[in-house]
């Protein structure tokens, strides 16, 4: 009999323009160093999520929603052509430019990220069309269906109290800066603990600081 720990399958929905999602995604990569997890990445869209309520957003968030379409369209186009394995490296290339480096959310930035991820620059053209919007909306809706409308990015889905039932999905965790090492592992263990508790829904407090990029 093998003594190796069981690998935990995790689904992670992300919008690359969200700085909080970037921090959580880097935490997930830290977890992978110390815990047996297998992460499947999925694209969600804050632009889709906020359709019909843009007038309720602050001006800077309305501007961000306009910039948010192109990168998710390009991510979905890359996935459709080259498979889901390209999402992690392309997200890393995009997110590192948008967040720690503070580069503008322009086509030039997307093209640079595509080059870093070993993908053709022509995929940037998808950002200016609606050709992949149906696939984008399907991916987005898959995550939202699991967790509900009163959330944002990221969404993670992990095994719940019944291992034979569907996974339990949450918004978050929202954390800054990204936990590393044993701190990352402890937060992961806690995430699995609350997910395994029947009837658990929410832990939340007011954010007092903005995203901190290490």
């Amino acid at each position: 009999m093998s003594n190796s720990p069981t690998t935990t399958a995790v689904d992670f929905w992300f919008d690359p323009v969200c700085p909080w999602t970037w921090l959580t995604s880097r935490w997930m990569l830290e977890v992978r160093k110390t815990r047996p997890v297998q992460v499947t990445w999925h694209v969600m869209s804050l632009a889709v999520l906020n359709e019909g309520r843009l007038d309720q957003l602050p001006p800077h968030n309305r501007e961000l929603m306009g910039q948010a379409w192109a990168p998710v369209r390009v991510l979905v186009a890359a996935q459709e052509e080259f498979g889901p394995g390209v999402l992690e490296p392309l997200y890393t290339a995009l997110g590192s430019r948008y967040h720690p480096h503070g580069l503008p959310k322009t086509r030039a930035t997307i093209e640079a990220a595509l080059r870093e991820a070993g993908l053709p620059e022509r995929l940037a053209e998808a950002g200016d069309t609606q050709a992949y919007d149906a696939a984008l909306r399907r991916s987005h809706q898959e995550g939202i269906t699991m967790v509900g409308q009163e959330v944002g990015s990221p969404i993670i889905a992990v095994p719940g109290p019944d291992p034979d039932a569907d996974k339990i999905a949450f918004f978050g965790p929202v954390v800054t800066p990204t936990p590393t090492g044993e701190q990352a592992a402890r937060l992961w263990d806690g995430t699995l603990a609350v997910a395994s508790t029947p009837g658990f829904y929410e832990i939340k407090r007011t954010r007092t600081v903005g995203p901190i990029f290490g």
Side-chain angles (χ1 to χ4, degrees):
M1 180 181 295
S2 173
N3 292 321
S4 61
T6 301
T7 298
T8 301
V10 186
D11 291 282
F12 192 110
W13 280 264
F14 67 94
D15 186 314
V17 304
C18 176
W20 296 100
T21 300
W22 173 253
L23 294 168
T24 306
S25 71
R26 299 311 94 179
W27 162 72
M28 200 69 252
L29 298 187
E30 283 289 315
V31 170
R32 198 166 62 186
K33 297 176 183 178
T34 58
R35 295 293 187 268
V37 298
Q38 181 176 1
V39 185
T40 300
W41 303 91
H42 308 268
V43 182
M44 67 176 295
S45 170
L46 292 175
V48 171
L49 186 68
N50 287 290
E51 281 182 321
R53 56 185 181 188
L54 289 177
D55 58 338
Q56 302 172 28
L57 301 178
H60 68 279
N61 282 351
R62 288 200 296 270
E63 180 182 3
L64 180 61
M65 291 307 97
Q67 299 169 336
W69 283 104
V72 290
R73 286 167 168 166
V74 172
L75 280 157
V76 171
Q79 179 183 20
E80 292 282 297
E81 184 168 347
F82 295 100
V86 303
L87 289 181
E88 182 178 322
L90 182 53
Y91 176 32
T92 293
L94 280 169
S96 62
R97 286 168 170 77
Y98 289 159
H99 305 303
H101 297 298
L103 295 180
K105 298 171 180 65
T106 60
R107 177 161 174 165
T109 301
I110 291 175
E111 289 174 345
L114 287 165
R115 289 194 298 271
E116 181 182 321
L119 295 166
E121 288 184 35
R122 61 174 170 76
L123 287 171
E125 299 172 5
D128 299 322
T129 77
Q130 298 180 15
Y132 294 91
D133 282 11
L136 168 62
R137 291 175 184 276
R138 284 195 300 271
S139 179
H140 173 85
Q141 192 60 39
E142 181 183 3
I144 291 297
T145 297
M146 294 183 71
V147 75
Q149 290 287 342
E150 298 177 4
V151 299
S153 175
I155 295 169
I156 64 169
V158 298
D162 182 353
D164 297 323
D166 292 338
K167 291 178 182 175
I168 300 295
F170 296 107
F171 163 58
V174 176
V175 62
T176 187
T178 297
T180 60
E182 187 56 28
Q183 278 192 335
R186 286 201 302 268
L187 178 56
W188 173 249
D189 294 342
T191 300
L192 292 183
V194 297
S196 67
T197 303
F200 173 81
Y201 286 99
E202 183 175 10
I203 293 176
K204 189 172 183 179
R205 64 174 179 156
T206 300
R207 303 176 201 176
T208 57
V209 296
I212 301 170
F213 304 116

